[in-house]
Amino acid sequence: RIAVVYTNLAEQSTSVSVAFSAAGGPAAKGDGGWGTLYFPDTTFFPTETLNGGYWLIIPGFTSWTPANLTVTGGVVQLCDGFTLDVAGQTLLDKAGGLDLRNHATLKTGGDLIITNKARLFLYSGMLDAEWPSYGTLLDVNGDLQIANQSTLYVYSQPTNGGSVRIQADDLTVAAGGTINANGSGYANRFGPGAGAGSYNSGSYGGVGGWASKTFYGSTNAPIDPGSGSGSSTGGRGGGAVRILATGKVRLDGLITA
């Protein structure tokens, strides 16, 4: 954890350049999460150019409307339910990225570009009266571009099935780029097609193995996540990728679930 606390605001300088990183270390089953970076207010931070690698904690900081935004060098996680409304372009570059969760909204007035091993993580919140059809929103009023070795990850809510909604003008997934929802559906023992016993796989578009429950969902509008296995130690179902593009879609990379 990192905390930046100042008591004499008048003597502070905005001209000092400091990079912060509290990124988790590597592990066999996935890297550790982002450590916290605390500021007491938004007087000096964040700026429209960020070097990431932390979970940003600022009391009362639940929305932000920068003119443009560039994130490099690591992922910046924002608080649950955060609204990020960028007037112009959002650039995730050079292994940078964003992590938005639980009824969050990311809007861009221009293009959203994910490039040079950058990542965007979107986690859905539960479906409820306020969020009846999706649990996190990505709304790109421009082009959504995912370059080689760069990834957009989407995660459904594990017990409720709420999923991410992606809206854009044009969508381009270049060769080597990915939209990834692998294993990000319902948690084990959850979902309409969850396995009934320890040896039962989850179902969705087809019936899971070992006498699982029947399949479910729509054949021509498949927007539901897959159900989890019946085992207490089993895996999650496949996630849901829902994209509404008003213009062109070019897929040279992968969309996986």
Side-chain angles (χ1 to χ4, degrees):
R1 296 178 185 269
I2 301 171
V4 179
V5 180
Y6 36 85
T7 56
N8 189 341
L9 185 61
E11 294 187 5
Q12 308 308 314
S13 172
T14 61
S15 63
V16 177
S17 178
V18 180
F20 301 96
S21 180
K29 294 187 178 181
D31 295 348
W34 329 118
T36 56
L37 172 61
Y38 172 88
F39 274 78
D41 54 47
T42 59
T43 301
F44 304 111
F45 200 82
T47 62
E48 293 185 2
T49 300
L50 297 173
N51 190 80
Y54 45 81
W55 176 5
L56 183 60
I57 305 292
I58 301 176
F61 183 55
T62 59
S63 64
W64 188 26
T65 56
N68 295 284
L69 180 62
T70 298
V71 186
T72 62
V75 173
V76 176
Q77 180 179 339
L78 299 168
C79 70
D80 283 6
F82 197 90
T83 297
L84 178 55
D85 191 349
V86 183
Q89 176 183 276
T90 300
L91 173 62
L92 309 181
D93 193 10
K94 299 176 183 176
L98 289 170
D99 184 321
L100 295 156
R101 306 182 178 216
N102 194 23
H103 300 150
T105 298
L106 170 56
K107 292 185 178 181
T108 68
D111 297 341
L112 170 56
I113 302 170
I114 308 172
T115 188
N116 290 321
K117 299 184 179 180
R119 296 168 292 170
L120 174 58
F121 298 87
L122 299 174
Y123 294 80
S124 177
M126 282 191 169
L127 299 181
D128 55 26
E130 185 177 354
W131 295 77
S133 59
Y134 54 86
T136 280
L137 174 64
L138 172 60
D139 186 2
V140 182
N141 291 305
D143 298 340
L144 172 54
Q145 303 173 26
I146 304 172
N148 178 40
Q149 295 186 300
S150 302
T151 306
L152 167 58
Y153 293 93
V154 293
Y155 298 85
S156 298
Q157 208 284 333
T159 61
N160 171 272
S163 296
V164 175
R165 178 182 171 119
I166 301 169
Q167 301 173 178
D169 290 349
D170 293 346
L171 169 65
T172 301
V173 183
T178 306
I179 299 176
N180 187 325
N182 293 341
S184 64
Y186 282 103
N188 56 301
R189 297 184 172 178
F190 284 92
S198 296
Y199 298 101
N200 300 143
S201 302
S203 300
Y204 175 43
V207 177
W210 284 77
S212 291
K213 294 180 183 178
T214 187
F215 55 87
Y216 61 97
S218 170
T219 58
N220 64 332
I223 61 173
D224 300 304
S227 295
S229 76
S231 170
S232 60
T233 59
R236 296 177 63 165
V241 180
R242 185 180 182 187
I243 301 168
L244 291 85
T246 59
K248 297 178 293 184
V249 174
R250 175 163 181 167
L251 178 61
D252 294 316
L254 296 174
I255 299 177
T256 64

